[in-house]
Amino acid sequence: MGKRNEGRSEVPEMTYEEKKEFLSGYIEGKRRIAALLRDWKYWQDVGTSMGANSGEGHGSGAGSKVETAAVKIADIQREIEFNINDCDRLRKEVRNAVERLRTSKYKTALYDIYIAGISRDTAANERGISVGRLNSMIHRAIDQLDI
């Protein structure tokens, strides 16, 4: 093959859509972790409020709700840990792919959107360009990714 794949196994290059999906993986991972943290907080609150009420002796079944909350919290904590490890791996892969770009403005555009998670409006505003121009820059950058 050509220079693009020197030193790499003979794996076909990703399509444009596959590259976008790959780049989006890290941000999606961060969103999953945020959702899990919200769930964890909810069950933490349930367990705390039921635990405080369980000493009242009303036979309300608060003990089983506390146990349910404890199980949910443990499950969510395992899921959070897995997702953090996966997200860390994805961040490194995305960052490595972006760092291989030759053009610094392409690198920073992809970094801002797909790693830092900055909105396109904000990123365009920070550069003093239109969102359309930023989108064109991102499109060209994704085309040039060697992944």
Side-chain angles (χ1 to χ4, degrees), residues 114-131:
Y114 293 104
I115 297 173
I118 296 172
S119 73
R120 290 179 187 232
D121 287 338
T122 301
N125 193 32
E126 287 177 357
R127 288 170 174 74
I129 61 174
S130 69
V131 173

Side-chain angles (χ1 to χ4, degrees), residues 105-138:
K105 70 179 181 178
Y106 290 173
K107 285 182 191 182
T108 57
L110 291 185
Y111 181 88
D112 286 351
I113 303 302
Y114 293 104
I115 297 173
I118 296 172
S119 73
R120 290 179 187 232
D121 287 338
T122 301
N125 193 32
E126 287 177 357
R127 288 170 174 74
I129 61 174
S130 69
V131 173
R133 183 156 181 229
L134 177 69
N135 287 337
S136 295
M137 186 185 312
I138 289 169

Side-chain angles (χ1 to χ4, degrees), residues 6-128:
E6 278 182 16
R8 292 175 51 191
S9 60
E10 296 294 320
V11 178
E13 188 171 319
M14 290 182 185
T15 65
Y16 178 83
E17 289 303 317
E18 290 169 333
K19 290 177 185 182
K20 273 180 50 177
E21 187 175 321
F22 167 78
L23 290 170
S24 298
Y26 172 66
I27 296 297
E28 290 302 316
K30 284 175 51 174
R31 287 185 185 128
R32 279 192 308 273
I33 291 169
L36 287 166
L37 288 170
R38 285 189 298 275
D39 290 348
W40 180 85
K41 173 75 170 112
Y42 168 79
W43 286 107
Q44 194 75 357
D45 291 345
V46 167
T48 301
S49 67
M50 290 296 127
N53 294 333
S54 66
E56 296 175 6
H58 294 291
S60 64
S64 65
K65 290 180 182 177
V66 171
E67 290 171 12
T68 299
V71 169
K72 292 283 191 182
I73 289 167
D75 289 345
I76 291 168
Q77 284 174 325
R78 281 190 292 277
E79 202 170 338
I80 288 170
E81 186 175 321
F82 171 80
N83 277 276
I84 286 172
N85 291 334
D86 191 48
C87 204
D88 185 50
R89 177 191 56 79
L90 287 168
R91 182 181 186 282
K92 288 174 184 173
E93 289 177 2
V94 169
R95 186 176 190 131
N96 288 339
V98 169
E99 286 299 319
R100 288 193 301 267
L101 285 170
R102 292 189 178 135
T103 308
S104 64
K105 70 179 181 178
Y106 290 173
K107 285 182 191 182
T108 57
L110 291 185
Y111 181 88
D112 286 351
I113 303 302
Y114 293 104
I115 297 173
I118 296 172
S119 73
R120 290 179 187 232
D121 287 338
T122 301
N125 193 32
E126 287 177 357
R127 288 170 174 74

